Amino acid sequence: MSGQLYLVPTPIGNLGDLSQRCIETLSQVDFVAAEDTRVSIKILNHLGLKKPMVSYYRHNTESSGPEILARIQGGESCALVTDAGTPAISDPGEELVALCAEAGIPVIALPGPCALVTALAVSGLPTGRFTFEGFLPMNKKNRKAHLDSLKNETRTMIFYEAPHKLCATLNDLVTWFGAERRISLCRELTKLHEEIRRTTLGEAVAWYRENPPRGEFVLVVEGGVPEAAPAVTLEDGVAAVLARRAETNCSFKDAVRQVAKELGLGKNELYDAAVSAQK
Ligand code: SAM
């Protein structure tokens, strides 16, 4: 396993979610790059492992990244772990993966706990198509731009949020998506006090105004209703029949048949309208 970077997911609340493969990888790598060594040491201690550690966190990626890369290029293997969940998803790691990939270093991502996937699965909202939005920016202008970009989003949207910012975020979501939009608030997933609140944005605002939020949250918001395609009129059909006749050598009847099928119009109705239009 020399000269490789392993992305090792850690539990988001339940130690039982640490997989056998993660444990084996942690025991075999040469060193661990941790978002917070104080957090990760607890997991290593729990597993009875002693490993050299380096810290790799939001504010030292520029200096620590190249150092980690150099060690991997020198033949060592590294496990990247963050405070909870899958490294590189809304936590440090994205840059290190890019750096290693660019340098031709194999990056092996182990599957495991990830708050967004767990929340989506339990949300009760459509899971077929979704978009992960991470944390909304705090900067007013960037926040508005981010929310504006979601105004017509029809896929289920997933947000991460800290408890002390939850009420402000819910207020903004009501402003952008309306009070009736459905939301599933997934709190303390996999932990003792796990709670899934399936409600509307308006009701969520009212609830958390009275019950101050505590713990970690993932917000899963229903997508908007797709705008209905403009209805095709008989006049559109007639224009299409005449255009089809002008562009091809097909007969009048064939043009009517083709266009009626393509536009979902009644064949006889379209035929009569097209005949009248030619008079
Ligand atoms: N990399 C992590 C992952 O794979 O989900 C996410 C890290 S991000 C810095 C932390 C955010 O994830 C929290 O603010 C919260 O929105 C969400 N989160 C993490 N653990 C959670 C849990 N047990 N229940 C609900 N949300 C959680």
Side-chain angles (χ1 to χ4, degrees):
M1 62 159 32
S2 65
Q4 296 179 334
L5 175 69
Y6 291 84
L7 307 179
V8 178
T10 50
I12 57 171
N14 186 326
L15 268 181
D17 293 332
L18 200 55
S19 78
Q20 192 57 36
R21 188 170 170 216
C22 290
I23 298 170
E24 279 163 18
T25 303
L26 286 173
S27 70
Q28 286 167 10
V29 289
D30 295 304
F31 71 103
V32 172
E35 179 180 11
D36 186 337
T37 50
R38 292 164 304 179
V39 172
S40 301
I41 195 86
K42 287 185 193 153
I43 291 186
L44 293 177
N45 285 344
H46 169 77
L47 299 173
L49 297 172
K50 278 198 166 45
K51 283 284 159 182
M53 279 197 175
V54 297
S55 74
Y56 181 78
Y57 60 97
R58 188 69 70 207
H59 300 291
N60 83 344
T61 54
E62 272 185 30
S63 58
S64 184
E67 283 168 24
I68 293 169
L69 175 66
R71 285 182 68 171
I72 299 174
Q73 283 173 322
E76 290 185 82
S77 57
C78 171
L80 175 66
V81 293
T82 49
D83 288 352
T86 300
I89 304 299
S90 280
D91 60 20
E94 189 180 342
E95 292 95 336
L96 188 60
V97 173
L99 200 66
C100 288
E102 214 169 290
I105 297 289
V107 180
I108 295 111
L110 277 59
C114 182
L116 80 98
V117 178
T118 311
L120 176 67
V122 78
S123 68
L125 292 170
T127 60
R129 297 189 68 193
F130 63 91
T131 161
F132 175 56
E133 300 300 320
F135 292 95
L136 281 172
M138 285 312 290
N139 170 287
K140 229 177 166 180
K141 194 169 147 228
N142 296 345
R143 190 173 174 95
K144 181 180 177 310
H146 192 142
L147 286 163
D148 279 346
S149 75
L150 296 173
K151 190 82 187 147
N152 299 317
E153 181 56 68
T154 56
R155 294 169 294 182
T156 300
M157 294 168 275
I158 306 169
F159 300 89
Y160 281 167
E161 196 46 285
H164 63 285
K165 297 180 190 157
L166 182 75
C167 290
T169 293
L170 289 175
N171 281 325
D172 281 348
L173 294 177
V174 168
T175 305
W176 261 265
F177 304 126
E180 297 309 313
R181 186 71 71 89
R182 290 191 295 161
I183 180 172
S184 294
L185 296 114
C186 307
R187 188 175 83 86
E188 298 286 85
L189 289 163
T190 75
K191 300 184 193 176
L192 189 62
H193 298 293
E194 172 171 314
E195 177 188 54
I196 314 298
R197 187 169 291 278
R198 302 182 183 90
T199 181
T200 62
L201 285 173
E203 282 171 7
V205 166
W207 173 266
Y208 288 107
R209 201 184 291 135
E210 298 302 320
N211 303 277
R214 280 207 217 127
E216 298 196 274
F217 283 86
V218 181
L219 314 181
V220 186
V221 180
E222 180 184 32
V225 178
E227 273 180 29
V232 180
T233 64
L234 214 48
E235 286 72 39
D236 297 330
V238 170
V241 169
L242 301 181
R244 184 68 48 97
R245 290 267 291 149
E247 288 160 10
T248 67
N249 276 334
C250 71
S251 71
F252 188 77
K253 268 192 169 171
D254 278 347
V256 169
R257 192 178 40 77
Q258 289 167 14
V259 169
K261 194 171 175 204
E262 286 164 16
L263 301 185
L265 293 168
K267 202 169 59 181
N268 295 340
E269 236 185 326
L270 180 60
Y271 183 87
D272 292 343
V275 169
S276 305
Q278 283 194 316
K279 283 182 185 161

